[in-house]
Amino acid sequence: MMENVHLAPETDEDDLYSGFNDYNPAYDTEELENDTGFQQAVRTSHGRRPPVTAKIPSTAVSRPIATGYGSKTSLASSMGRPMTGTIQDGVARPMTAVRAAGFSKAALRGSAFDPLGQSRGPAPPLEAKNEDSPEEKIRQLEKKVNELVEESCIANSCGDLKLALEKAKDAGRKERVLVRQREQVTSPENINLDLTYSVLFNLASQYSANEMYAEALNTYQVIVKNKMFSNAGRLKVNMGNIYLKQRNYSKAIKFYRMALDQIPSVHKEMRIKIMQNIGITFIKTGQYSDAINSFEHIMSMAPSLKAGFNLILSCFAIGDREKMKKAFQKLIAVPLEIDEDDKYISPSDDPHTNLLIEAIKNDHLRQMERERKAMAEKYIMTAAKLIAPVIEASFAVGYNWCVEVVKASQYVELANDLEINKAITYLRQKDFNQAVDTLKMFEKKDSRVKSAAATNLSFLYYLENEFAQASSYADLAVNSDRYNPSALTNKGNTVFANGDYEKAAEFYKEALRNDSSCTEALYNIGLTYKKLNRLDEALDSFLKLHAILRNSAQVLCQIANVYELMEDPNQAIEWLMQLISVVPTDSQALSKLGELYDSEGDKSQAFQYYYESYRYFPSNIEVIEWLGAYYIDTQFCEKAIQYFERASLIQPTQVKWQLMVASCFRRSGNYQKALDTYKEIHRKFPENVECLRFLVRLCTDIGLKEVQEYATKLKRLEKMKEMREQYFFLQHTLKKHLLGVLALQFGLSTWNGGEQCQRKAPEQEGPEQEEQKSMRACFWNNYYSGQNNSASSKSERLSAKLRALPGTDEPYESSGNKEIDASYVDPLGPQIERPKTAAKKRIDEDDFADEELGDDLLPE
């Protein structure tokens, strides 16, 4: 080893190029295995070595080195250099930075390359967390609070407001526990203010969503009054919204203005929204001038459709025509900021470009643009219809002004719609001629507008039962726009009115192919299938319509009617129950339910629904008739009297109702009241045989002297009735005889009661046949005229004879069957007939003609 040691020269001459080949022997690592001093130092504990045997000059000096036990000892290496490493696990740590960590030639000679020390086995396990420590408890509790806030927000978005409130309250309780624990462990400055703010804000929002406004205001006050929360002043907008919901408008305006003062001017959008809330609150309080100032400020800073429409409403409320015009012009000038439709038209045949255009033609951005444009058109149309009648002397002039303004704006296509609305306004004013003239002006316009105008004209003529005009304009509408479902529906209606149901169904089907949501066509095709007796297809149509219009009374009624026609009363009853749940006061539906239960034999249920129908509409003769018959069947005649009396008030010329009243008095044992009633009936209807029969019977039972008078009248009436029957029999026989003679004389082959005569068709007709034909025509004309004259003269003679009879000079009222139809007409469809739902059970005059006077009369 010493042979490699180079001693410094003893001369003091400085050699500028000397020393470059010299190096410190401590860096010689190749012979470390043979260095006994180094190996001895390695094997000793903590690098303690025996004394060195040689002193080699070196620039390094010995220094104290701290051991693992904290002792400080001045140690040096065998070369006089202090030791920089210790032995760990039998592997010598490199003493200097010359050799790379984990690499040594000795390792290459004796063992495999293991720079990561994987041969030493797995690393010791990590130290387990101490969950009982205060810091860990605080960390877990804070995590739980955040999870509760998130769950509360998710429940609110799903519509479960009660669960959202419970979660928010639980988060508030746990957050207060967290604050107390944090104060005990750390200083108050370390409290998480963001978490406290989010918990309180969420709790206030959930209180407001559950309409617990007092609790919400208290929670907002806690946030606003805490100066440690930044931007808490914005929450005063929420407090103003709560006061607005509570109709406390003065406080709402106060908090809106406080929030407006605390929001800097850089937040322009937020300030505009608050100004809009202030304007709406002014409208609700009736302070339209202040509202106009707010909305005018908004329109000058950031014009919007809602602000412009609200400005028009405020100006309309105060009746300022000039301001209404200016506001309408401002509304028209609001930029939509949407792309033109030309963007979605392919300029070339490039397939990649076409695919891109198809992809963006109906994406979310395009849908948003459509919604924004539709909203703008709705605001403009509504504003025009509102101000047009008041901005000028007449609404026509006002509409013209609005049309001119719209034509000069970006909404040119709305001008035609305004013209059509003008015609509709004429219709509301019952000025049909002006409406028709206005619509006819569109016949020379473009196809879309022409189709709309022709559709309305067809509808107008259809309502006036001018089906020829309706059909012609429906054809014009269809030819102008074949894909217009309203035009096809109107065309189907005109064909339906003419009785061609198959063709009408084709038009309705085409309308549904163009627009599957056309409820009018779907309803009408169901009616058409009913007319064609294709009940299964009609039921399918009405069930599809029911899926679209869940609470439509007309659809439910039609489904029940179809099931009734299909002889399925149980299903009909089920759908009628749904109908009365939608319209519980519909007397027709209730009476129909009573009829179905009556047909099923359930009298108690039938009585319940008939009585409910009578309670809502006490003028339905059929319901009154059924209720009266029900009480007679159940031997409660005195209760049936009130129903028959009401029927006699509704139909005073129908004698049967008054006879039923008298019969009920007689059945209940009140013979005097029955006698008085029969006398009153005889006074009004002196020719009624049944009334005289009962008068004779009652007077005989009671023993009155008037029995002879009534018996004489009865005999005379019976004799007159017999004479009348003989007269009509002779007249009918004579007519048959004359027709038979004429048939033989004029060569008539058949005759049918004098109503229709047919002649044998000759092979060739000459002048003689023509003369005979004219003679027959003259004969029949003279015959019918003579017959009418003779009938009238005989009628006069018969009336004179009746007037000459004693006791028949009282006024006579002819009996007529004048019933009240209580059904209503459905608004949809060409011919929507509501099925008559009252019972068909009637009491006719023949019910009172019994052969033996001693028997009581029972209605059938």
Side-chain angles (χ1 to χ4, degrees):
M1 178 179 179
M2 295 303 296
E3 63 183 343
N4 295 325
V5 176
H6 301 276
L7 299 177
E10 295 181 359
T11 61
D12 294 333
E13 295 180 0
D14 295 333
D15 188 0
L16 296 177
Y17 298 99
S18 62
F20 286 100
N21 295 325
D22 299 335
Y23 61 96
N24 195 331
Y27 296 136
D28 187 5
T29 59
E30 295 180 357
E31 300 296 333
L32 287 179
E33 292 182 358
N34 302 323
D35 190 351
T36 56
F38 178 79
Q39 293 298 330
Q40 184 65 26
V42 170
R43 285 192 295 271
T44 57
S45 175
H46 302 288
R48 303 179 71 87
R49 303 181 182 182
V52 296
T53 57
K55 187 69 175 176
I56 301 174
S58 174
T59 59
V61 296
S62 63
R63 60 179 178 177
I65 298 176
T67 64
Y69 296 98
S71 61
K72 296 181 180 180
T73 310
S74 179
L75 298 176
S77 64
S78 59
M79 298 300 173
R81 184 178 182 273
M83 180 179 179
T84 60
T86 59
I87 300 172
Q88 296 180 359
D89 298 334
V91 178
R93 181 186 175 194
M95 299 179 65
T96 62
V98 174
R99 190 181 61 184
F103 176 79
S104 64
K105 292 183 179 181
L108 290 176
R109 297 189 189 98
S111 63
F113 178 71
D114 187 16
L116 300 179
Q118 297 178 358
S119 60
R120 289 177 288 180
L126 298 176
E127 183 179 357
K129 289 185 179 179
N130 187 7
E131 298 193 3
D132 294 335
S133 63
E135 292 80 3
E136 186 64 25
K137 288 182 179 180
I138 290 174
R139 193 179 301 109
Q140 294 297 328
L141 189 57
E142 185 173 347
K143 181 180 179 181
K144 182 63 177 177
V145 171
N146 283 317
E147 291 177 354
L148 287 173
V149 172
E150 291 179 2
E151 292 174 1
S152 175
C153 296
I154 293 172
N156 182 280
S157 63
C158 295
D160 194 349
L161 302 180
K162 291 184 179 180
L163 179 62
L165 180 59
E166 291 299 325
K167 295 287 186 181
K169 288 181 178 180
D170 195 9
R173 288 190 292 267
K174 292 186 181 300
E175 194 274 335
R176 287 191 292 272
V177 174
L178 173 63
V179 170
R180 288 194 294 268
Q181 290 185 3
R182 195 181 290 275
E183 287 177 350
Q184 294 175 1
V185 175
T186 60
S187 59
E189 291 78 7
N190 294 328
I191 296 176
N192 191 348
L193 292 178
D194 293 336
L195 181 61
T196 305
Y197 180 88
S198 62
V199 169
L200 291 175
F201 179 64
N202 180 60
L203 180 61
S205 300
Q206 302 307 331
Y207 276 135
S208 179
N210 285 271
E211 298 183 358
M212 302 171 66
Y213 298 129
E215 291 83 353
L217 288 173
N218 293 333
T219 309
Y220 279 127
Q221 286 287 356
V222 172
I223 301 175
V224 171
K225 290 182 178 180
N226 194 335
K227 302 300 181 181
M228 300 179 68
F229 296 140
S230 59
N231 299 325
R234 296 186 179 185
L235 298 182
K236 291 183 179 179
V237 177
N238 295 11
M239 299 175 70
N241 292 339
I242 293 176
Y243 283 120
L244 183 64
K245 292 178 182 177
Q246 292 180 333
R247 300 179 183 274
N248 193 346
Y249 301 124
S250 59
K251 281 196 173 182
I253 294 174
K254 174 184 176 182
F255 276 88
Y256 285 145
R257 286 178 170 170
M258 291 171 62
L260 191 64
D261 294 337
Q262 295 185 8
I263 294 177
S265 58
V266 293
H267 300 288
K268 180 181 177 181
E269 186 176 355
M270 176 67 73
R271 293 178 62 87
I272 290 297
K273 290 182 179 179
I274 296 175
M275 287 291 295
Q276 188 165 350
N277 286 4
I278 293 173
I280 293 173
T281 311
F282 277 133
I283 290 178
K284 290 184 176 293
T285 58
Q287 303 177 27
Y288 300 112
S289 299
D290 295 332
I292 289 173
N293 294 333
S294 298
F295 291 126
E296 284 181 345
H297 176 72
I298 295 173
M299 294 300 289
S300 62
M301 298 296 295
S304 65
L305 294 170
K306 290 184 179 180
F309 184 72
N310 289 331
L311 178 59
I312 292 175
L313 293 180
S314 303
C315 296
F316 177 81
I318 65 175
D320 194 331
R321 296 182 177 181
E322 295 300 324
K323 284 191 175 181
M324 278 189 275
K325 290 182 178 180
K326 292 180 180 178
F328 186 75
Q329 291 172 344
K330 290 181 179 178
L331 178 63
I332 290 288
V334 173
L336 283 180
E337 298 178 355
I338 62 176
D339 295 328
E340 298 294 334
D341 292 336
D342 297 340
K343 174 183 176 182
Y344 301 98
I345 299 176
S346 177
S348 62
D349 296 334
D350 186 10
H352 296 287
T353 306
N354 294 337
L355 286 175
L356 178 61
I357 291 175
E358 288 295 328
I360 67 174
K361 187 177 291 186
N362 199 31
D363 60 352
H364 293 293
L365 179 60
R366 180 59 175 165
Q367 293 176 4
M368 185 188 71
E369 290 177 349
R370 287 201 194 102
E371 292 174 358
R372 183 173 177 82
K373 186 176 181 181
M375 183 179 66
E377 293 177 354
K378 178 183 177 181
Y379 282 142
I380 293 171
M381 293 293 293
T382 307
K385 289 188 287 186
L386 180 68
I387 68 174
V390 297
I391 58 175
E392 297 293 345
S394 65
F395 89 95
V397 180
Y399 260 107
N400 293 334
W401 181 87
C402 293
V403 169
E404 294 299 327
V405 173
V406 170
K407 284 182 178 179
S409 68
Q410 55 183 332
Y411 306 98
V412 182
E413 64 275 5
L414 291 182
N416 294 324
D417 296 337
L418 282 175
E419 289 284 357
I420 293 178
N421 276 318
K422 180 181 176 182
I424 296 174
T425 307
Y426 278 125
L427 287 179
R428 292 196 181 100
Q429 295 180 354
K430 304 299 179 63
D431 194 348
F432 297 102
N433 295 328
Q434 287 289 343
V436 171
D437 294 339
T438 304
L439 291 173
K440 284 183 177 179
M441 293 181 352
F442 292 96
E443 294 182 1
K444 297 181 180 180
K445 296 291 184 69
D446 61 331
S447 59
R448 186 186 68 85
V449 180
K450 184 193 298 184
S451 178
T455 301
N456 289 331
L457 283 170
S458 174
F459 174 72
L460 286 176
Y461 283 119
Y462 182 85
L463 293 179
E464 294 178 354
N465 293 329
E466 297 182 12
F467 299 124
Q469 290 283 353
S471 180
S472 63
Y473 277 104
D475 290 333
L476 178 61
V478 171
N479 294 332
S480 301
D481 185 3
R482 189 71 187 184
Y483 299 99
N484 186 354
S486 300
L488 292 168
T489 302
N490 281 353
K491 180 59 180 176
N493 293 350
T494 58
V495 176
F496 186 99
N498 294 328
D500 192 352
Y501 303 123
E502 291 287 351
K503 192 173 181 181
E506 292 299 325
F507 280 109
Y508 295 142
K509 288 179 182 178
E510 186 174 356
L512 289 172
R513 284 195 295 268
N514 293 336
D515 183 7
S516 59
S517 63
C518 184
T519 56
E520 293 82 1
L522 191 57
Y523 187 90
N524 292 347
I525 199 172
L527 293 179
T528 307
Y529 287 142
K530 276 179 61 179
K531 289 289 185 180
L532 296 171
N533 201 26
R534 293 155 62 176
L535 299 180
D536 292 333
E537 297 179 48
L539 183 61
D540 290 340
S541 300
F542 289 127
L543 289 176
K544 289 177 183 178
L545 188 58
H546 175 64
I548 301 173
L549 306 174
R550 302 295 299 179
N551 295 323
S552 174
Q554 290 85 359
V555 177
L556 293 171
C557 179
Q558 292 295 341
I559 294 174
N561 181 243
V562 172
Y563 275 119
E564 184 184 4
L565 295 175
M566 297 171 69
E567 298 180 356
D568 190 351
N570 294 327
Q571 284 291 333
I573 289 173
E574 181 181 346
W575 284 96
L576 283 174
M577 294 295 289
Q578 295 186 35
L579 175 61
I580 64 173
S581 67
V582 176
V583 279
T585 60
D586 189 348
S587 63
Q588 290 296 101
L590 292 168
S591 63
K592 189 63 182 179
L593 270 172
E595 179 187 349
L596 291 174
Y597 277 117
D598 187 22
S599 64
E600 292 292 308
D602 193 345
K603 293 286 185 182
S604 60
Q605 285 287 346
F607 171 74
Q608 176 185 350
Y609 288 109
Y610 270 124
Y611 182 77
E612 286 294 316
S613 175
Y614 173 78
R615 191 165 66 88
Y616 288 117
F617 185 63
S619 299
N620 193 332
I621 290 295
E622 295 177 342
V623 174
I624 293 172
E625 183 179 358
W626 192 94
L627 289 172
Y630 173 80
Y631 279 118
I632 290 177
D633 291 340
T634 55
Q635 303 299 321
F636 291 100
C637 300
E638 59 277 2
K639 290 186 177 182
I641 292 173
Q642 60 173 335
Y643 296 103
F644 293 125
E645 286 179 344
R646 178 171 288 276
S648 65
L649 291 175
I650 296 172
Q651 294 181 347
T653 59
Q654 286 280 0
V655 67
K656 64 178 181 180
W657 306 123
Q658 301 180 42
L659 289 174
M660 283 303 299
V661 173
S663 177
C664 290
F665 281 126
R666 184 167 54 84
R667 287 168 179 271
S668 60
N670 194 348
Y671 296 107
Q672 185 61 41
K673 190 70 174 176
L675 180 62
D676 295 340
T677 306
Y678 280 125
K679 287 181 179 180
E680 182 66 22
I681 295 171
H682 178 65
R683 188 185 66 81
K684 293 180 179 179
F685 304 96
E687 291 186 352
N688 191 275
V689 177
E690 289 79 12
C691 179
L692 283 172
R693 287 178 182 174
F694 284 112
L695 280 173
V696 171
R697 176 58 189 270
L698 285 175
C699 290
T700 302
D701 293 342
I702 299 175
L704 297 178
K705 298 179 180 180
E706 301 173 355
V707 62
Q708 188 62 34
E709 177 185 355
Y710 292 125
T712 304
K713 289 182 179 181
L714 178 60
K715 289 181 180 180
R716 290 180 179 178
L717 282 177
E718 289 178 345
K719 188 175 181 180
M720 288 298 299
K721 184 177 180 181
E722 183 179 355
M723 291 173 59
R724 190 181 296 115
E725 290 176 354
Q726 291 178 358
Y727 168 74
F728 285 118
F729 175 75
L730 291 174
Q731 187 181 20
H732 183 66
T733 305
L734 179 61
K735 185 188 297 185
K736 291 173 65 177
H737 179 70
L738 289 175
L739 289 173
V741 172
L742 290 173
L744 292 174
Q745 181 178 358
F746 291 97
L748 299 176
S749 61
T750 59
W751 58 275
N752 185 12
E755 296 179 359
Q756 181 180 2
C757 296
Q758 297 178 356
R759 179 172 177 270
K760 291 182 180 180
E763 296 179 357
Q764 293 182 354
E765 291 188 358
E768 297 179 358
Q769 286 79 3
E770 294 292 337
E771 183 178 358
Q772 290 180 1
K773 187 185 296 184
S774 63
M775 289 174 62
R776 285 196 298 272
C778 293
F779 171 79
W780 282 113
N781 292 332
N782 294 331
Y783 172 74
Y784 282 118
S785 62
Q787 188 182 31
N788 294 333
N789 294 333
S790 63
S792 61
S793 61
K794 291 177 182 178
S795 176
E796 292 175 359
R797 289 197 300 271
L798 181 60
S799 299
K801 288 182 181 180
L802 291 174
R803 285 194 296 272
L805 292 175
T808 59
D809 54 347
E810 290 86 354
Y812 174 75
E813 298 182 15
S814 61
S815 177
N817 187 13
K818 300 176 181 179
E819 298 184 1
I820 297 176
D821 186 7
S823 63
Y824 65 89
V825 179
D826 297 332
L828 299 179
Q831 183 178 344
I832 303 168
E833 295 180 359
R834 187 70 178 273
K836 294 199 174 183
T837 58
K840 303 301 181 184
K841 192 172 184 180
R842 295 179 177 274
I843 302 174
D844 298 326
E845 294 183 10
D846 297 335
D847 298 333
F848 300 94
D850 54 353
E851 296 179 357
E852 297 180 5
L853 294 178
D855 296 337
D856 288 334
L857 298 177
L858 291 176
E860 293 182 357

